[in-house]
Each structure stands twice: as C-alpha cells, then as structure tokens.
Amino acid sequence: MQSCHTARINGYVIEGHVPAQEVKKLLTTNTGLEGLAVAGMPIGSPGMEYGDRQQPYTVMAFDKAGNTQAFQHYPKP
Ligand SMILES: [Cu+2]
C-alpha cells in the first residue's frame, strides 16, 4: 500500500493519492481505522489526471493491527 507521500490528518494516516471524498468519509465516520491508502500512483486518481484516462484502483483501509479491507473502488461501480 506504499505510495509517494504520506499525510496525517486528525490522527489518521493518508498514504498516496486518496480522493478527498474518501478522506472526508473517514473523518466523519467513526470507523476505528488507522487510515487509508492508494498504492502506487494510479492514472486518473487526484493529482494524476491524464486526459480522460482512468486506471482502476482501490482505496484500502487499514487498522493499527495491520488488517486491511477495500474502502472504495474507483471508478465507482
Ligand atoms: Cu504520487
């Protein structure tokens, strides 16, 4: 789940090109999660726009124990 940059917001860890919408969802939902990550630098993710190209990617959630789960798929189904 490694990417090019890491942010911290309100105690959460945001790794990589996570859409703001998902960060907002994380901040407004009491999930018990540690943070969100988008691995790599997928084309079409925020900051990686390249025309109308859209490489599918998954925003992954993780907790302190290292458990992971899909948080949101892009493009959204
Ligand atoms: Cu990047």
Side-chain angles (χ1 to χ4, degrees), residues 18-73:
V18 178
Q21 194 178 357
E22 308 311 324
V23 177
K24 285 180 188 166
K25 198 196 305 180
L26 179 68
L27 292 175
T28 56
T29 314
N30 190 6
T31 56
L33 295 169
E34 179 71 1
L36 300 176
V38 171
M41 297 181 63
I43 290 171
S45 64
M48 288 295 293
E49 294 85 359
Y50 194 80
D52 58 2
R53 286 179 59 190
Q54 174 69 65
Q55 181 180 351
Y57 62 94
T58 301
V59 178
M60 297 297 295
F62 55 93
D63 66 14
K64 269 196 180 0
N67 300 305
T68 62
Q69 65 187 68
F71 193 74
Q72 180 67 58
H73 298 287

Side-chain angles (χ1 to χ4, degrees), residues 3-5 17 41:
S3 184
C4 53
H5 44 68
H17 295 250
M41 297 181 63

